[in-house]
Amino acid sequence: MSEDTDKLIATLSTGLQAVTPLRPPVVRALGWLALVAVLAAWPLWRLADLPVFALRNADPRTALECGASLLTGIVATVAAFHLSVPGRAARWALAPLAPLALWIAASGSS
């Protein structure tokens, strides 16, 4: 390195403070999902016909479809938070495929 580069680095790094590391991706994703759940709870409670929803979910296939779709969303959210961290394995993009396959299989069964 040249002397000018060393001086530039010294000038730029003067007075820097340590960066607070982010919380783990799973913790951040669960926090985001909790916020979404809280924001969605009131309209669902006020506007949804919960007895009809419960009656429809009494059918095991419908309950499996709903559960698999919810699980797909949760896993996709966690995967997105993992993928937002530089250096994480790209395999996280495949994580939602298992619950998605279950959701599709349950939807297609008769």
Side-chain angles (χ1 to χ4, degrees):
M1 274 197 216
S2 70
E3 193 173 312
D4 291 336
T5 304
D6 291 336
K7 286 181 184 178
L8 177 62
I9 292 172
T11 302
L12 292 175
S13 62
T14 302
L16 294 180
Q17 296 177 352
V19 176
T20 304
L22 293 173
R23 294 185 190 273
V26 172
V27 173
R28 291 185 292 132
L30 292 178
W32 188 85
L33 287 167
L35 175 66
V36 169
V38 168
L39 292 176
W42 187 82
L44 285 173
W45 176 68
R46 296 292 295 155
L47 303 173
D49 192 354
L50 296 179
V52 171
F53 178 75
L55 184 62
R56 288 181 181 164
N57 273 325
D59 176 28
R61 192 185 109 217
T62 305
L64 180 61
E65 288 175 20
C66 288
S69 67
L70 179 64
L71 186 60
T72 301
I74 291 170
V75 172
T77 301
V78 171
F81 274 87
H82 272 283
L83 290 168
S84 69
V85 177
R88 290 290 170 131
R91 292 187 309 260
W92 277 102
L94 304 175
L97 292 180
L100 177 64
L102 176 62
W103 180 13
I104 291 170
S107 297
S109 65
S110 38

